[in-house]
């Protein structure tokens, strides 16, 4: 007996088709995973069920839920249903809560709007639900405001809000994508526990195959607004009947082929690096308190090496990166590049800056929208004493090296997709032939299939130009795929360092073990005997 | 919260000190000899000397500044050269016209702008919204003193519902004075209300696009509930800024509009002071106006903190 | 790209007054300097389209010449605000969090405590009334407006990765401000300039009305209104036409500002 049965759901926003004939069923107490890359329509499916679609969207088809059709219910009936029978949580916990209301009031509101309790009763229930999601009364009184909580804690509040009335179905739209890996594991555990305890069904929307493999009973794979394949989770993972599913799998597990071996010459040397920040003054007089973001970090990166730097948000890796790039000064210790000391600002000569370039995470904020690609790519020429005579040839060469055509130099950045933009960012880093490229979460914002292509490109360029990479990422899978050695950073310190395989296969530090255990993984034996079952 | 209030109070004090220095420097520093300036070119040297004596110009600039500030703190604003009475008395009488006028106008403007802006946001894209936006666009473009003249023309001269100007004084009863201030307040308030309504509308629309509104809707709140329980308070943050800025416009507007209605307020006093080169009056009234603006902005800062818990902890 | 209707309407209105002001340099329907008591207080008609004032001067001609004053004062005051405020805002953003930033921002706050009228009062009390006072007062008032808008917009750009990339490419604060920041906030500044321009027209009218602006014999809209006040019961046209001129110019500029914003920044259009 299914709880929710979606039949040929189609959706268009201002006549542009978004979903086509989407059909699936969710059984009572079941976890249903909806997987797809960005733009596949998985979030829109959820919003259509809740009737929370953007203006101008029209849904057709049917979604039967307890004898009613969710798509044809009136607004009044939907309000009675949302939060009561169907709860929903979203991707971005940082903005999902009202900043000027206490978390207690926000959780209690679910009960109050549905007339399930009076003010005192709702507060008691809120207290109870918050404790259930891991925010006990002693440490998290109802009077806390959202800005006093971390991202993971806010997501717990959202969950408490969504399950306050014990709905039959909880829709979770990328609930852990914005969270760190250890927090993600905790939130996923919490969701799993709630499903088991309350007999609730869960519709889990995610781009991450590994997440879904550990959570869902059934999985559907979406591409371009259609469900291309659906089955029981293990069956689907073993069978991969549709070519798109198969491609998605290959991309997730992709390990680029790498050439060339690191030499023994040290290129970047960090010795006892310390970076303090002044905290916003809490006292009117006296010295401002400081926060030590980087605390005595030392490591060496060798020529031709690919070194990973792994850590969760707030561990100090971004701060360390800015110091290495010569954007901010250290309060202690020393960073040398090719034997010369790195300083912030003008004190670092162009001849030294030339040896190091960077690729950032955000493919959309990485370029001045008013310049053409050729000018964007040529920006590091500023570090040369005078513009090279073969300027245009070198721009064309850099674009070709990253798989674009020289003609692309005349276009503007908004004409390119996210993956193409990361290629342009790599071309910009490459153009003055640096020795070191710092890759700051450079593939984190990309879909898996694009990510695999960029990783291939990076591996290829490293072999061709003898580059060294400092690869900074929160994503263990990616770091494992592309680095020779890895550093694990926690609370401003390097807690473990070693060859990548060694660290991943036999982690020594408890934190590393915790990180690796928390990272979701597809069970190894599911992928071994491909096409074997079914 | 207390710490926030104290730190704002410190910055209020600093602002007042710097502002008073600027005013003092312009009024007493720039003309060279204020006494000669006040008496004009053909003044009798003996009279100038007498005035110098009276104004205490013998001392050094820093000493005179401290004298001035010290006097102000004690409520002694000096003696007006033209009126021959303490400036404090002149100001006190007139303050009871200008301040109620500005407050009346601010209250009117807020009372009109809030519902109008909210309705426009709720009916976004409809004829109602378009009508409100058109009317406010016109309202912003109208100079308040001209609007005041039109009000006089219609309500005082044609319809004879109000008097064309003048102020009976608070001894004559409250109602008659409120009536006398009504046309000026309306003239001041409507253009300001137009601005405020537009800010209100765009601020509410902006908040309605936030993630937490979607969360609220997913909890089962109706569109209306989401607006009143979640959007409104968040939308108040930019609206408060504008209300704070508006106070200084209203004060300036009140000074101008007193001329239209022949109201015996600070505006009349200061313009007479300028014409008669009575620097003692000008200096004190300007300081008072600046004091009012800075204080209102301090209150707005406190209101921010009351609305937004995120501010209470910072600095 | 389709031109927003607000831009066309606003542009047309603004153009009417700009052209009238320019034409007044070479031609006006009647002279504005001489007295002609025989023709005083005419109501609008064939000879004097908008009537005459108590000295017999043609209202239309005076409005045309007055447009010159209004527009000139507003342009110079906005220019002053832009040339002082924008570099200060860029500097504060480039040195964000530092002493320079703090000084610029506190200076801004200080000037904000002085409404344009109060600045004008201060200047006039010491130097006597003139059109220059109005320009100075409005210009000083505009400076922190532009500094604040510039700094706010620049700050959000400074956190973007392309600015970091430029810094990695060895570019300094000045070069980044000019090459990357300024072009990307230009739209915002143009829209702000239009708004300040219209506020400048309003402020100039107010200052002239209370006698702190343009002095006789320079015709100005604000003073025409001040002079009409005592005659409003028997010659309302003296008050109505200058007021309408102000309203239409300001309306035109505001519509143009809205239209420009729609044209230049699709992101702001959504937020409205």
């Amino acid at each position: 007996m299914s709880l929710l049965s979606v039949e040929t759901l189609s959706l268009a926003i201002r006549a542009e088709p978004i979903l086509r004939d989407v059909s699936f069923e969710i059984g009572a107490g079941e976890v249903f995973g909806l997987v797809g890359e960005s733009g596949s329509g998985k979030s829109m499916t959820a919003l259509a069920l809740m009737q929370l679609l953007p203006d101008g969207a029209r849904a057709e088809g049917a979604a039967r839920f307890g004898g009613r059709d969710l798509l044809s219910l009136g607004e009044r009936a939907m309000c009675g249903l949302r939060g009561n029978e169907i709860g929903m949580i979203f991707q971005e916990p940082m903005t999902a809560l009202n900043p000027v209301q206490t978390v207690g009031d926000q959780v209690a509101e679910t009960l109050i709007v549905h007339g399930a309790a009076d003010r005192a009763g709702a507060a008691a229930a809120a207290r109870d639900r918050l404790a259930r999601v891991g925010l006990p009364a002693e440490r998290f009184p109802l009077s806390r405001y959202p800005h006093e909580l971390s991202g993971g804690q806010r997501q717990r509040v959202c969950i408490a809000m969504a399950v306050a009335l014990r709905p039959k179905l909880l829709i979770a739209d990328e609930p852990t994508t914005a969270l760190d890996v250890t927090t993600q594991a905790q939130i996923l555990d919490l969701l799993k526990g709630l499903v088991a305890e309350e007999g609730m069904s869960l519709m889990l929307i995610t781009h991450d195959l590994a997440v879904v493999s550990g959570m869902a009973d059934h999985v559907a794979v979406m591409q371009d607004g259609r469900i291309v394949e659906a089955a029981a989770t293990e069956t689907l993972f073993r069978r991969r009947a549709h070519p798109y599913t198969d491609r998605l799998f290959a991309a997730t597990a992709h390990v680029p082929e790498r050439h060339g071996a690191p030499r023994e010459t040290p290129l970047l040397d960090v010795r006892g690096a310390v970076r303090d920040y002044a905290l916003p003054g809490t006292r009117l007089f006296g010295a401002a308190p400081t926060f030590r973001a980087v605390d005595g970090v030392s490591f060496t990166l060798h020529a031709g090496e690919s070194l990973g730097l792994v850590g969760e948000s707030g561990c100090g890796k971004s701060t360390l990166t800015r110091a290495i790039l010569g954007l901010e000064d250290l309060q202690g210790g020393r960073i040398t590049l090719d034997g010369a000391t790195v300083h912030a600002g003008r004190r670092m000569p162009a001849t030294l800056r030339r040896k190091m370039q960077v690729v950032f995470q955000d493919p959309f904020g990485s370029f001045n929208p008013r310049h053409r690609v050729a000018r964007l790519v040529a920006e590091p020429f500023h570090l040369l004493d005078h513009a090279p005579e073969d300027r245009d040839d070198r721009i064309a060469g850099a674009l070709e090296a990253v798989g674009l055509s020289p003609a692309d130099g005349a276009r503007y950045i908004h004409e390119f997709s996210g993956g193409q933009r990361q290629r342009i960012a790599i071309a910009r880093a490459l153009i003055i032939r640096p020795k070191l490229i710092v890759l700051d979460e450079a593939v984190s914002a990309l879909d898996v299939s694009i990510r695999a292509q960029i990783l291939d490109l990076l591996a290829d360029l490293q072999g061709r130009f003898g580059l060294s990479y400092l690869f900074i990422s929160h994503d263990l899978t990616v770091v494992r795929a592309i680095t020779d050695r890895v550093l694990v950073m926690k609370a401003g310190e390097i807690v473990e360092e070693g060859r990548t395989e060694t660290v991943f296969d036999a982690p020594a530090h408890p934190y590393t073990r915790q990180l690796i255990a928390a990272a979701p993984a597809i069970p190894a034996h599911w992928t071994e005997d491909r096409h074997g079952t079914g | 919260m207390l710490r926030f209030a104290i730190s704002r109070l410190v910055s209020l004090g600093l602002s007042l000190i710097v502002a008073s220095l600027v005013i003092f420097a312009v009024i007493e520093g720039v003309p060279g000899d204020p006494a000669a300036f006040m008496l004009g070119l053909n003044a009798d040297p003996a009279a100038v000397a007498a005035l110098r004596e009276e104004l205490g110009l013998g001392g050094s600039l820093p000493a005179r500044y401290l004298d001035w500030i010290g006097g102000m703190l004690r409520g002694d604003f000096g003696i007006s050269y033209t009126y021959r009475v303490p400036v404090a008395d002149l100001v006190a009488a007139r303050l009871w016209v200008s301040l109620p006028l500005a407050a009346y106008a601010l209250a009117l403007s807020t009372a009109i702008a809030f519902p109008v802006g909210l309705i426009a946001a709720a009916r976004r894209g409809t004829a109602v919204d378009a009508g409100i936006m058109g009317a406010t666009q016109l309202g912003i473009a109208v100079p308040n003193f001209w609007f005041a003249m039109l009000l006089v023309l219609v309500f005082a001269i044609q319809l004879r519902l109000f008097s064309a100007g003048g102020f009976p004084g608070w001894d004559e009863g409250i109602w008659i004075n409120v009536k006398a201030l009504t046309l000026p307040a309306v003239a001041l308030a409507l253009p300001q209300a137009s601005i405020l309504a537009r800010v209100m509308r765009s601020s509410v629309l902006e908040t309605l696009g936030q993630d937490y509104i979607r969360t609220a809707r997913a909890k089962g709140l109706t569109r209306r509930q989401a607006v009143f329980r979640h959007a409104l308070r968040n939308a108040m943050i930019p609206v408060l800024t504008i209300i704070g800025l508006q106070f200084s416009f209203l004060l300036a507007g009140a000074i101008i509009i007193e001329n239209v209605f022949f109201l015996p307020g600070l505006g009349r006093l200061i313009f007479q002071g300028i014409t008669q080169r009575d620097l003692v009056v000008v200096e004190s009234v300007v300081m008072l106006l600046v004091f009012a603006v800075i204080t209102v902005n301090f209150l707005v800062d406190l209101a921010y903190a009351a609305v937004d818990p995120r501010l209470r902890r910072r600095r | 790209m389709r031109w927003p209707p607000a831009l066309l309407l606003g542009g047309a209105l603004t153009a009417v007054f700009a052209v009238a002001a320019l034409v007044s340099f070479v031609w006006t329907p009647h002279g504005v300097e001489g007295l002609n008591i025989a023709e005083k207080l005419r109501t609008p008609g064939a000879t004097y389209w908008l009537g005459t004032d108590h000295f017999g001067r043609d209202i239309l001609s005076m409005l045309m010449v007055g447009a010159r004053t209004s527009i000139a004062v507003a342009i110079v005051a906005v220019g002053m605000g832009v040339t002082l405020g924008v570099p200060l805002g860029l500097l504060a953003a480039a040195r964000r969090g530092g002493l320079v930033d703090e000084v610029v921002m506190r200076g801004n706050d200080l000037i904000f405590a002085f409404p344009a009228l109060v600045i004008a009062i201060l200047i006039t009390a010491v130097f006597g009334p003139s059109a220059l006072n109005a320009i100075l007062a409005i210009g000083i008032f505009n400076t922190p407006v532009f500094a604040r808008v510039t700094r706010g917009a620049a700050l959000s750009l400074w956190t973007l990765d392309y600015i970091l990339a430029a810094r990695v490419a060895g570019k300094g604060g000045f070069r980044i401000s000019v090459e990357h920041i300024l072009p990307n906030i230009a739209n915002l500044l143009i829209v702000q300039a239009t708004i300040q321009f219209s506020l400048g027209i309003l402020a100039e009218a107010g200052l002239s009305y209370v006698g702190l602006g343009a002095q006789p014999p320079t015709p100005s809209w604000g003073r025409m209104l001040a002079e009409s006040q005592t005659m409003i019961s028997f010659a309302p046209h003296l008050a109505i036409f200058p007021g309408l001129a102000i309203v239409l110019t300001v309306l035109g500029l505001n519509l143009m500002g809205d239209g420009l914003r729609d044209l230049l920044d699709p992101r702001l259009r959504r937020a409205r």
Side-chain angles (χ1 to χ4, degrees):
Chain A
M1 167 67 199
S2 68
L3 174 74
L4 171 71
S5 159
V6 176
E7 292 150 23
T8 61
L9 167 65
S10 292
L11 176 73
I13 298 181
R14 291 189 193 86
E16 190 190 328
I18 304 291
L19 299 177
R20 287 166 246 218
D21 291 333
V22 170
S23 300
F24 59 87
E25 290 196 355
I26 302 179
E30 182 189 70
V31 178
F32 172 77
L34 192 56
V35 182
E37 294 187 292
S38 52
S40 62
K42 51 195 195 305
S43 293
M44 281 298 162
T45 308
L47 292 176
L49 297 178
M50 293 290 272
Q51 283 195 26
L52 289 176
L53 288 164
D55 291 341
R58 269 176 52 85
E60 285 166 19
R64 312 223 170 270
F65 180 83
R68 286 159 298 178
D69 176 12
L70 293 180
L71 302 184
S72 58
L73 277 183
E75 175 60 20
R76 205 187 171 80
M78 277 313 288
C79 283
L81 203 106
R82 288 186 208 121
N84 188 7
E85 293 184 56
I86 305 180
M88 183 160 182
I89 56 174
F90 301 91
Q91 170 170 351
E92 198 34 84
M94 299 312 277
T95 54
L97 294 170
N98 183 347
V100 304
Q101 213 174 56
T102 63
V103 295
D105 283 348
Q106 294 190 56
V107 176
E109 188 177 41
T110 308
L111 295 119
I112 292 170
V113 291
H114 291 287
D118 59 10
R119 198 151 271 286
R127 180 62 283 150
D128 176 58
R129 295 318 268 171
L130 282 169
R132 172 61 192 90
V133 299
L135 302 175
E138 315 82 68
R139 285 180 51 219
F140 302 95
L142 295 179
S143 56
R144 285 274 188 124
Y145 284 97
H147 71 275
E148 300 169 312
L149 304 178
S150 71
Q153 289 162 348
R154 291 188 207 192
Q155 193 62 293
R156 287 175 193 271
V157 174
C158 290
I159 294 173
M161 231 153 60
V163 302
L165 282 169
R166 300 171 201 275
K168 299 190 182 102
L169 173 66
L170 175 65
I171 301 176
D173 186 359
E174 301 270 12
T176 57
T177 307
L179 304 175
D180 279 322
V181 55
T182 47
T183 319
Q184 159 166 295
Q186 293 162 5
I187 295 288
L188 291 177
D189 269 352
L190 171 64
L191 288 173
K192 232 191 257 180
L194 283 169
V195 168
E197 246 171 65
E198 322 237 327
M200 181 177 75
S201 302
L202 174 66
M203 176 172 167
L204 178 66
I205 295 167
T206 178
H207 68 285
D208 191 331
L209 285 170
V211 164
V212 93
S213 76
M215 290 285 293
D217 303 308
H218 283 84
V219 175
V221 179
M222 274 192 104
Q223 182 198 18
D224 296 338
R226 295 174 208 273
I227 289 183
V228 295
E229 187 171 359
T233 308
E234 186 172 346
T235 315
L236 183 129
F237 275 59
R238 285 180 184 275
R239 187 167 51 188
R240 284 168 262 154
H242 193 275
Y244 177 74
T245 317
D246 199 40
R247 278 213 304 280
L248 211 54
F249 264 81
T252 305
H254 184 74
V255 176
E257 201 176 313
R258 302 180 54 217
H259 307 279
R263 297 175 289 274
E264 276 305 301
T265 356
L267 176 64
L268 175 75
D269 191 57
V270 178
R271 278 299 136 230
V274 173
R275 178 80 177 91
D276 290 330
Y277 280 108
L279 290 173
T282 45
R283 280 172 293 175
L284 285 177
F285 304 99
T290 55
F291 169 71
R292 183 152 288 190
V294 176
D295 191 2
V297 166
S298 300
F299 66 86
T300 307
L301 182 144
H302 298 97
E305 186 181 34
S306 184
L307 177 66
L309 177 61
V310 181
E312 297 189 293
S313 55
C315 74
K317 59 187 195 299
S318 310
T319 309
L320 180 61
T321 308
R322 280 196 297 275
I324 291 173
L325 288 171
L327 299 176
E328 287 173 12
D329 272 324
L330 292 173
Q331 273 71 50
R334 206 163 106 99
I335 298 171
T336 49
L337 178 64
D338 217 7
T341 306
V342 168
H343 291 290
R346 288 175 199 280
R347 288 194 294 138
M348 181 166 164
T351 43
L352 184 59
R353 282 199 187 275
R354 247 177 245 171
K355 295 177 182 168
M356 173 167 64
Q357 282 296 304
V358 63
V359 177
F360 291 107
Q361 169 175 6
D362 179 13
F364 294 90
S366 289
F367 304 96
N368 186 340
R370 300 196 162 258
H371 294 169
R372 289 176 200 276
V373 167
R375 184 169 174 194
L376 294 172
V377 168
E379 182 154 49
F381 281 157
H382 179 72
L383 292 168
L384 304 179
D385 302 327
H386 38 80
E389 282 158 25
D390 56 346
R391 184 174 180 278
D392 293 346
D393 289 345
R394 284 179 66 177
I395 293 169
L399 287 172
E400 276 175 337
V402 298
L404 296 170
S405 91
D408 288 331
R411 294 162 68 192
Y412 285 99
I413 197 69
H414 65 83
E415 300 171 53
F416 295 88
S417 69
Q420 287 171 320
R421 288 177 199 213
Q422 275 325 59
R423 286 176 189 270
I424 294 168
I426 295 169
R428 174 172 61 189
L430 211 55
I431 198 158
I432 43 165
R433 317 257 164 81
K435 297 187 170 178
L436 168 65
I437 296 185
V438 176
L439 299 155
D440 187 1
E441 301 277 6
V443 296
S444 301
L446 304 175
D447 277 324
V448 279
S449 48
I450 307 295
R451 188 175 79 190
Q453 292 166 14
I454 298 293
L455 288 176
D456 276 341
L457 173 67
L458 288 172
D460 172 53
L461 294 172
Q462 183 167 37
R464 273 164 63 197
F465 298 101
L467 294 166
S468 304
Y469 289 149
L470 178 59
F471 200 100
I472 297 140
S473 183
H474 70 281
D475 188 332
L476 300 175
T477 328
V478 174
V479 171
R480 184 168 199 172
I482 190 125
T483 60
D484 303 304
R485 272 191 318 132
V486 67
L487 310 166
V488 181
M489 194 165 178
K490 187 194 181 209
E493 298 177 50
I494 304 283
V495 297
E496 184 160 0
E497 173 179 359
R499 295 203 53 80
T500 304
E501 305 93 86
T502 323
V503 171
F504 276 87
D505 292 338
H509 194 274
Y511 177 68
T512 317
R513 266 181 250 142
Q514 194 191 338
L515 270 186
I516 291 170
I522 303 170
H525 62 277
W526 285 11
T527 48
E528 280 161 7
D529 52 343
R530 195 179 155 204
H531 299 291
T533 53
Chain B
M1 184 71 200
L2 186 67
R3 182 181 287 151
F4 177 83
I6 290 173
S7 82
R8 297 315 302 165
L9 205 59
V10 168
S11 112
L12 168 89
L14 286 176
S15 308
L16 284 175
I17 292 171
V18 179
S20 65
L21 276 171
V22 170
I23 293 169
F24 180 81
V26 171
I27 296 284
E28 303 210 16
V30 174
D33 183 352
F37 177 82
M38 283 166 77
L39 292 176
L41 287 176
N42 307 318
D44 171 17
V48 173
L51 185 59
R52 286 181 62 87
E53 182 72 15
E54 184 189 325
L55 295 176
L57 294 185
S60 65
L61 274 178
R64 273 157 57 199
Y65 170 74
L66 290 178
D67 253 15
W68 175 55
I69 287 294
M72 282 224 160
L73 288 176
R74 290 192 311 270
D76 173 11
F77 291 19
I79 309 281
S80 159
Y81 170 67
T82 41
Y83 294 90
R84 312 306 308 175
V85 290
V87 175
D89 297 351
L90 284 174
V91 165
R94 281 156 164 87
L95 208 56
W96 282 106
V97 179
S98 297
L99 217 54
L101 175 56
Y104 191 176
L106 191 64
L108 262 182
S109 139
T110 315
I112 297 168
F114 274 33
V116 167
L118 201 58
I119 290 170
R123 302 278 169 84
R124 180 192 195 174
T126 64
V128 176
D129 182 24
I132 289 175
M133 290 305 278
T136 52
Q137 186 72 266
L138 196 64
I140 292 174
V142 174
N144 49 25
F145 62 92
W146 182 62
F147 186 49
M149 290 165 72
L150 294 187
L151 289 178
V152 168
L153 188 59
V154 174
F155 290 98
I157 296 173
Q158 307 275 330
L159 300 177
R160 303 190 173 282
L161 291 174
F162 291 88
S163 65
F167 187 75
W170 291 106
D171 303 338
E172 305 289 315
I174 290 183
W175 173 239
I176 188 169
N177 288 298
V178 167
K179 197 177 168 196
L181 291 181
T182 297
L183 282 190
V186 168
L188 276 173
L190 281 188
Q192 294 300 319
S194 301
I195 298 174
L196 199 57
R198 290 172 81 89
V199 173
M200 182 80 187
R201 173 186 180 271
S202 64
S203 182
V204 169
L205 286 180
E206 170 104 36
T207 19
L208 282 179
Q210 299 294 316
D211 279 358
Y212 54 79
I213 296 298
R214 191 177 59 180
T215 310
R217 299 270 289 135
K219 273 199 278 189
L221 275 73
T222 61
R223 220 175 266 274
R224 204 186 167 79
Q225 284 171 325
V227 170
F228 281 99
R229 293 184 187 208
H230 294 282
L232 217 49
R233 190 154 163 208
N234 282 287
M236 282 316 294
I237 295 166
V239 172
L240 273 176
T241 314
I242 301 298
I243 290 180
L245 282 178
Q246 282 201 330
F247 183 78
S248 80
F249 280 106
L250 281 175
L251 211 59
I255 284 171
I256 292 180
I257 249 172
E258 282 166 10
N259 279 302
V260 181
F261 293 95
F262 307 103
L263 296 175
L266 288 177
R268 307 281 292 173
L269 181 64
I270 202 167
F271 290 123
Q272 281 160 359
I274 290 176
T275 328
Q276 292 156 352
R277 299 193 164 192
D278 192 340
L279 290 184
V280 184
V281 167
V282 174
E283 190 175 40
S284 304
V285 178
V286 164
M287 188 61 223
L288 210 62
L289 293 175
V290 171
F291 173 79
V293 172
I294 292 179
T295 310
V296 165
N297 281 313
F298 165 72
L299 294 176
V300 167
D301 273 350
L302 292 190
Y304 271 140
V307 169
D308 191 342
R310 287 166 294 186
L311 288 175
R312 285 174 214 159
R313 290 212 148 180
R314 261 187 251 151
R315 288 216 273 180
Chain C
M1 175 149 210
R2 256 191 73 227
W3 292 77
L7 181 60
L8 296 177
L9 182 61
L13 268 176
T14 312
V16 166
F17 286 93
V19 167
L22 288 176
V23 167
S24 77
F25 281 104
V26 291
W27 176 82
T28 51
H30 302 270
V32 293
E33 311 238 310
L35 303 184
N36 190 354
I37 302 299
E39 298 289 330
K40 74 173 188 179
L41 296 177
R42 297 275 162 155
T43 47
T47 321
Y48 299 101
W49 289 1
L50 302 182
T52 61
D53 72 358
H54 53 299
F55 292 131
R57 292 175 296 187
D58 178 41
I59 299 286
L60 178 61
S61 306
M62 289 188 59
L63 285 181
M64 287 172 67
V65 182
R68 232 150 70 182
T69 317
S70 284
I71 293 174
V73 168
I75 284 183
V76 179
V78 170
M80 189 172 150
V82 170
T83 43
L84 293 177
V86 172
L88 280 175
L90 288 175
L91 178 70
R95 299 269 177 276
R96 63 209 163 283
L99 186 66
V100 177
D101 185 17
E102 193 66 21
V103 167
V104 170
M105 290 318 286
R106 290 291 81 80
N108 268 352
D109 290 349
L110 179 69
I111 299 178
F112 265 125
F114 290 80
L117 179 73
V118 173
I119 302 177
I121 287 172
L122 271 178
I123 301 176
T124 309
V126 178
F127 296 105
S130 77
L132 189 66
N133 289 350
I135 293 178
L136 265 179
I138 304 169
I140 292 175
F141 181 76
N142 274 337
T143 305
V145 173
F146 281 100
R148 199 170 273 205
V149 167
T150 304
R151 177 178 177 273
L155 274 186
S156 63
L157 291 186
W158 269 100
T159 63
L160 290 182
D161 285 346
Y162 70 82
I163 302 296
L164 286 179
R167 291 171 65 198
V168 171
K171 293 185 176 171
F174 179 77
R175 187 162 183 143
I176 288 176
S177 291
V178 171
E179 194 174 303
H180 289 301
I181 308 274
L182 197 55
N184 282 298
I185 62 170
N187 290 346
L188 194 69
L189 293 179
I190 290 170
V191 172
Q192 192 65 41
T194 327
I195 295 168
Q196 293 310 117
F197 193 22
S198 79
L199 286 177
I201 300 259
L202 277 176
E204 191 276 334
L207 292 178
S208 305
Y209 171 78
V210 292
L212 300 181
Q215 296 301 303
T218 315
S220 96
W221 294 347
R223 236 193 34 261
M224 288 171 76
L225 285 174
E227 287 167 3
S228 76
Q229 202 178 318
T230 48
M231 295 170 274
I232 194 163
S233 54
F234 56 91
H237 69 276
L238 293 188
I240 287 171
F241 291 119
L244 275 181
I246 298 171
V247 170
L248 291 178
T249 313
V250 172
L251 188 64
L253 284 164
N254 284 342
L255 287 173
M256 209 163 87
D258 282 5
L260 276 175
R261 176 167 52 190
D262 288 355
L263 186 73
L264 299 175
D265 197 342
R267 198 185 57 80
L268 283 173
R269 181 171 11 189
R270 251 190 304 118
R272 268 204 319 146

